[in-house]
């Protein structure tokens, strides 16, 4: 038992060292690095949280005091809940009508949605995502005939490859889109939809104001996560697509506030 306790203490020290060095860790990476179970890593993070050394976020942990303002890069976020994001993207793509104008916010789940829209005929995509723009440009370069027309908002890029700021907001305010598919950093009954980036919050508000219908794609790990800035209440959401790993209490709270709640099977 003494050896096991010592090993746990050493492992937690190494986890804390990595968080202080890089700003964040992912549960999946720690499982691979230490050769322990997912539950063991989560217990380690719980212990470090109780010590006040770190703060837990969906899929991992960040340095204490940084959870509301910390924003991982696009690549790091894309590796979280990949299978579930694919299921959410499938459900969201089914809502897109041929010939419509669709706005896609920046994010890894909306990127997955964009990949499913490449064969929707006569579609126009408005986005502030550099990654989504790259995806559409690459498809067009490959000669695909049904690639959606693209309108990129312009603006200043964030860590998550989102274009934000006055230039982006000014353009978005002149637009009228049929459907907005929106990714979020966090969803909370009290705080609503949130993001760690103040400028991105403002741009998301402009996107919501431009759309006849707003659809939010958010896997279960986003529930209860509160970023630095709120940009919409749950009552402003026409449809929220999530997965069945979301707790019953959270489902009930969402069902009472959003226009429509769509629950898809979580990836195994």
């Amino acid at each position: 038992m003494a050896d096991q306790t010592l090993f746990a203490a050493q492992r937690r020290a190494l986890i804390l060292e990595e968080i202080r060095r890089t700003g964040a860790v992912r549960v999946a990476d720690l499982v691979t690095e230490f050769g322990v179970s997912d539950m063991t890593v989560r217990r380690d993070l719980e212990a470090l949280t109780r010590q006040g050394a770190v703060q837990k976020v969906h899929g991992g942990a960040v340095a204490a005091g940084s959870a509301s303002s910390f924003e991982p890069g696009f690549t790091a976020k894309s590796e979280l809940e990949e299978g579930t994001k694919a299921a959410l993207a499938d459900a969201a793509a089914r809502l897109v009508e041929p010939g419509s104008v669709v706005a896609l916010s920046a994010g890894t789940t909306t990127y997955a949605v964009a990949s499913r829209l490449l064969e929707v005929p006569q579609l126009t995509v408005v986005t502030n995502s550099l990654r989504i723009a790259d995806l559409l440009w690459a498809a067009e370069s490959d000669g695909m005939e049904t690639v959606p027309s693209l309108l990129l908002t312009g603006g200043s890029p964030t860590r998550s490859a989102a274009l934000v700021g006055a230039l982006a907001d000014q353009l978005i305010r002149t637009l009228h889109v049929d459907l907005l598919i929106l990714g979020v950093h966090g969803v909370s009954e009290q705080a609503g939809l949130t993001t760690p980036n103040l400028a991105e919050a403002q741009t998301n508000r402009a996107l919501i104001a431009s759309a006849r219908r707003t659809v939010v794609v958010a896997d279960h790990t986003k529930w209860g996560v509160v970023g630095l800035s709120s940009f919409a209440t749950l009552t402003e959401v026409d449809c929220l697509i999530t997965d069945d790993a979301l707790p019953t209490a959270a489902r009930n709270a969402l069902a009472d506030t959003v226009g429509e709640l769509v629950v898809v099977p979580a990836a195994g």
Side-chain angles (χ1 to χ4, degrees), residues 42-61:
R42 293 186 186 278
R43 282 198 295 265
D44 288 340
L45 296 181
E46 289 283 0
L48 291 170
T49 299
R50 288 194 299 271
Q51 296 170 14
V54 307
Q55 288 183 291
K56 291 176 64 181
V57 295
H58 57 274

Side-chain angles (χ1 to χ4, degrees), residues 43 136 242:
R43 282 198 295 265
L136 298 182
T242 189

Side-chain angles (χ1 to χ4, degrees), residues 41 69 217 259:
V41 169
S69 59
V217 283

Side-chain angles (χ1 to χ4, degrees), residues 79-104:
E79 296 173 352
L80 300 173
E81 302 292 333
E82 289 181 271
T84 300
K85 287 177 182 176
L88 301 185
D90 289 339
R94 288 193 288 269
L95 302 177
V96 176
E97 298 288 342
S100 61
V101 180
V102 179
L104 297 175

Side-chain angles (χ1 to χ4, degrees), residues 66-221:
S66 66
S68 66
S69 59
F70 177 76
E71 183 176 21
F74 183 93
T75 302
K77 291 193 292 185
S78 67
E79 296 173 352
L80 300 173
E81 302 292 333
E82 289 181 271
T84 300
K85 287 177 182 176
L88 301 185
D90 289 339
R94 288 193 288 269
L95 302 177
V96 176
E97 298 288 342
S100 61
V101 180
V102 179
L104 297 175
S105 73
T108 54
T109 309
T110 49
Y111 180 87
V113 175
S115 70
R116 287 150 176 80
L117 302 182
L118 294 176
E119 297 184 2
V120 179
Q122 299 180 321
L123 193 67
T124 298
V125 169
V126 177
T127 187
N128 68 323
S129 167
L130 292 171
R131 300 290 184 141
I132 290 174
D134 285 344
L135 173 70
L136 298 182
W137 283 330
E140 184 174 10
S141 298
D142 289 341
M144 290 188 64
E145 296 181 357
T146 57
V147 177
S149 298
L150 170 67
L151 177 59
L152 189 61
T153 64
S156 302
T158 68
R159 280 177 53 84
S160 58
L163 295 175
V164 299
L167 181 62
D169 300 347
Q170 182 177 356
L171 173 64
I172 292 168
R173 291 191 191 101
T174 68
L175 303 178
H176 305 280
V177 304
D178 299 305
L179 180 69
L180 166 64
I181 300 177
L182 185 69
V184 296
H185 173 79
V187 182
S188 163
E189 187 173 5
Q190 292 76 31
L193 310 181
T194 63
T195 173
N197 188 297
L198 289 171
E200 191 164 359
Q202 187 63 34
T203 299
N204 284 343
R205 292 186 192 105
L207 285 168
I208 292 170
S210 75
R212 290 197 298 108
R213 188 165 187 242
T214 297
V215 174
V216 172
V217 283
D219 67 71
H220 69 278
T221 66

